[in-house]
Amino acid sequence: NAGVTQTPKFQVLKTGQSMTLQCAQDMNHNSMYWYRQDPGMGLRLIYYSASEGTTDKGEVPNGYNVSRLNKREFSLRLESAAPSQTSVYFCASSGRQTSQPQHFGDGTRLSIL
Amino acid sequence: RKEVEQDPGPFNVPEGATVAFNCTYSNSASQSFFWYRQDCRKEPKLLMSVYSSGNEDGRFTAQLNRASQYISLLIRDSKLSDSATYLCVVNIGAGGFKTIFGAGTRLFVKA
């Protein structure tokens, strides 16, 4: 009963390094999302994918790229990490219907030094 | 004006108390409504969907008032384990809908 799986759970990077965060869901959901959450703050949408083959920018896309590899997998890439990208990153997925809620992975805690 | 607004709190209540949170939304195209709970530095977890007729799940009751554009969450007989941040979430539109998360209301339940 995995749901949404994120890897890695923790990562420390140096400024300028690149890294890809992985997300996979086994609920046959069409839509997938990447959020970041800074301490004491709400969720902010980085990118989303409404269906396989499509991706769109969210509220804070700068410094990130995404790939919807297939229906199950949606990755987030930091090409040149900056300290301002230190955050907790959550992946989520949902079905196609408006009535369906999002389900979240347990997050990747990323620190950039 | 934010599309989804919540009182950030914190609400400090003793065990056994009843506590209620409200959430207002501004977009009349809002279709579906949810309450999530988020523990410190953990992922948001779906607590319950909110239906037009209101719904109850154990000690939790959710209500929707479309005319006034707000939803509410009532927690009865609060437990220490209810301490968390409660997020109000709205799906707006149909087809290509978007999801708006409220910033959350902090609840502390004390012994």
Side-chain angles (χ1 to χ4, degrees):
Chain A
N1 195 18
V4 180
T5 302
Q6 292 184 234
T7 55
K9 296 203 180 319
F10 301 93
Q11 185 70 47
V12 179
L13 294 177
K14 294 181 179 178
T15 297
Q17 287 185 313
S18 61
M19 136 141 235
T20 300
L21 308 186
Q22 307 287 353
C23 175
Q25 51 91 10
D26 62 3
M27 295 176 283
N28 201 34
H29 284 163
N30 288 296
S31 301
M32 297 185 73
Y33 313 82
W34 276 105
Y35 294 91
R36 62 176 287 174
Q37 187 173 36
D38 300 321
M41 304 289 286
L43 295 165
R44 290 189 291 172
L45 183 64
I46 304 171
Y47 270 94
Y48 67 99
S49 170
S51 61
E52 187 178 353
T54 69
T55 61
D56 285 287
K57 295 178 180 180
E59 181 186 355
V60 288
N62 291 345
Y64 305 95
N65 286 301
V66 290
S67 295
R68 183 75 183 266
L69 304 170
N70 48 55
K71 191 171 186 179
R72 291 187 62 248
E73 298 174 285
F74 188 38
S75 62
L76 178 72
R77 183 162 177 83
L78 287 70
E79 290 290 353
S80 179
S84 61
Q85 294 177 305
T86 294
S87 192
V88 180
Y89 291 84
F90 291 109
C91 177
S93 70
S94 70
R96 188 189 298 275
Q97 303 299 322
T98 308
S99 59
Q100 294 177 297
Q102 293 185 19
H103 297 269
F104 285 79
D106 55 8
T108 295
R109 283 140 189 84
L110 182 62
S111 292
I112 298 155
L113 307 177
Chain B
R1 182 183 176 188
K2 293 180 182 178
E3 290 191 271
V4 174
E5 293 202 68
Q6 298 183 248
D7 181 344
F11 286 65
N12 293 289
V13 302
E15 268 188 300
T18 295
V19 61
F21 308 134
N22 282 339
C23 165
T24 58
Y25 60 94
S26 60
N27 195 319
S28 59
S30 298
Q31 298 274 347
S32 300
F33 309 88
F34 312 95
W35 284 103
Y36 282 68
R37 113 174 233 154
Q38 185 175 25
D39 295 291
C40 188
R41 295 186 65 75
K42 298 288 185 79
E43 75 275 21
K45 291 184 179 178
L46 179 67
L47 181 65
M48 58 198 301
S49 300
V50 186
Y51 302 120
S52 296
S53 56
N55 49 298
E56 189 174 302
D57 182 1
R59 297 182 294 107
F60 299 85
T61 300
Q63 298 277 355
L64 167 63
N65 185 319
R66 286 192 184 272
S68 300
Q69 298 191 178
Y70 76 84
I71 68 172
S72 63
L73 177 68
L74 182 78
I75 306 175
R76 290 182 300 276
D77 189 22
S78 298
K79 312 291 185 191
L80 294 175
S81 58
D82 293 333
S83 297
T85 296
Y86 290 84
L87 307 178
C88 170
V89 181
V90 176
N91 281 354
I92 299 173
F97 66 90
K98 66 175 181 177
T99 300
I100 306 295
F101 285 81
T105 298
R106 280 303 283 284
L107 172 66
F108 293 101
V109 182
K110 302 172 293 185

